[in-house]
Amino acid sequence: MIRLGGALAVAVIAVGSRSAAAQKERVRCSPSETKTDVSSSSRRPSFADGERLSYDVSFGKVHVGSGEMRFIGRDTVRGHDAWTATYTISGGFGKFSVRDTTKSWFDSVSFTSFRFVQLLNEPGGHPRRDMQIFPERQVYRKNAEAERPSVVDPVDDVSLVYLMRTLALEPGQCYEFHRYFEPDGNPVVVHVVRRERITVPAGTFDAIVLRPEITTSGIFSQNGRAELWLADDSTHAVLQLKSHLAFGSINLYLNRVATNLRRD
């Protein structure tokens, strides 16, 4: 079951309950696409300390809340130098309100994750998921539970988004990742679909449209038919998200930026 707040907080790479193996086989690049390898130095990141992107969140045509992506800057985790970034989501319907925060610490070159924390303030409870990730041993630990197997160069829900923002994106390309820190979440496939010009509350932008697919029954499953618009400039900032699920559509629209993006 996907929580409203949890789904929105990680909307750009939402990982819900896992699908059956049959669906997993269908998440892949198509023969007509150019399968492109991911290089850790594909582009020089253009996001900087303090970058803050704010969003309107709607469920169908109904405004239900607000969200924020914030790139905080440098920190350390278990002696590792790391970048840190957060997603925050607030909103809901009537008394069913949420305020969720997702935070990641990751390597500045490989985007490998060291720690991933979700603080969920939702009806029915206030769960905390603190994932300590150990890339050198390819394991991770949730809260105080026993260690579980991970993958080579693991990424989490937040670091994957920032990695995607560094890629050279051209329509017809397809990126396939096998790096999500929970192995059952792989592969993550990103189809680069088209270029277009869009208007959101923050302004009018040239955009490049992605169709991410994740081995999940969530927003980025095949059935979710989600599309993600990134600024078609050096920032690759997230401008807009639209998805279509069985229970309705979830949409995000950029309404304010704390850095200079090229717009009208």
Side-chain angles (χ1 to χ4, degrees):
M1 180 67 67
I2 301 174
R3 298 182 178 91
L4 171 64
L8 296 177
V10 296
V12 282
I13 29 73
V15 178
S17 57
R18 303 299 173 216
S19 62
Q23 177 173 318
K24 186 170 184 176
E25 288 301 315
R26 294 196 300 269
V27 179
R28 56 178 180 247
C29 297
S30 71
S32 63
E33 295 175 309
T34 302
K35 191 170 180 180
T36 307
D37 292 331
V38 178
S39 168
S40 62
S41 58
S42 295
R43 297 174 67 246
R44 180 179 178 83
S46 58
F47 39 85
D49 296 5
E51 180 197 66
R52 188 174 298 187
L53 307 175
S54 301
Y55 299 89
D56 293 328
V57 180
S58 70
F59 183 73
K61 295 183 178 181
V62 179
H63 182 271
V64 295
S66 60
E68 179 183 85
M69 289 178 59
R70 184 181 177 191
F71 183 75
I72 298 172
R74 297 192 178 279
D75 201 350
T76 58
V77 179
R78 303 189 306 271
H80 297 284
D81 291 330
W83 279 345
T84 182
T86 62
Y87 297 157
T88 302
I89 194 77
S90 301
F93 299 93
K95 65 180 181 179
F96 297 100
S97 62
V98 300
R99 180 172 175 79
D100 296 349
T101 299
T102 304
K103 187 172 184 178
S104 172
W105 290 259
F106 53 94
D107 184 79
S108 63
V109 176
S110 66
F111 293 80
T112 296
S113 180
F114 301 118
R115 189 182 180 195
F116 172 66
V117 176
Q118 287 183 311
L119 304 175
L120 306 179
N121 185 355
E122 303 179 1
H126 308 280
R128 173 187 174 94
R129 298 175 68 219
D130 189 344
M131 303 290 196
Q132 295 283 347
I133 303 171
F134 303 89
E136 65 279 7
R137 294 192 290 120
Q138 297 179 35
V139 298
Y140 73 96
R141 183 178 66 239
K142 177 182 177 181
N143 299 333
E145 298 176 6
E147 292 182 348
R148 304 178 188 180
S150 187
V151 299
V152 176
D153 296 331
V155 296
D156 61 45
D157 300 29
V158 178
S159 66
L160 176 58
V161 174
Y162 284 93
L163 171 59
M164 287 169 57
R165 290 179 60 185
T166 70
L167 301 177
L169 301 172
E170 291 292 333
Q173 289 179 325
C174 180
Y175 289 92
E176 187 172 309
F177 301 84
H178 293 264
R179 294 182 54 184
Y180 190 70
F181 77 97
E182 294 181 295
D184 286 349
N186 293 302
V188 176
V189 175
V190 179
H191 308 273
V192 187
V193 181
R194 64 187 182 275
R195 285 187 166 91
E196 65 183 30
R197 193 163 176 81
I198 65 167
T199 297
V200 292
T204 299
F205 299 83
D206 291 323
I208 190 156
V209 184
L210 310 181
R211 182 167 55 84
E213 291 182 328
I214 297 179
T215 307
T216 173
S217 60
I219 290 174
F220 285 135
S221 68
Q222 278 198 326
N223 292 335
R225 306 191 311 278
E227 289 189 322
L228 180 68
W229 285 254
L230 301 186
D232 192 14
D233 59 19
S234 62
T235 69
H236 280 181
V238 178
L239 303 174
Q240 178 174 273
L241 166 80
K242 292 185 177 182
S243 67
H244 304 276
L245 298 171
F247 57 83
S249 61
I250 293 176
N251 308 308
L252 279 75
Y253 305 98
L254 182 70
N255 65 32
R256 183 164 50 90
V257 299
T259 55
N260 292 323
L261 299 181
R262 289 197 286 269
R263 65 183 188 275
D264 288 349

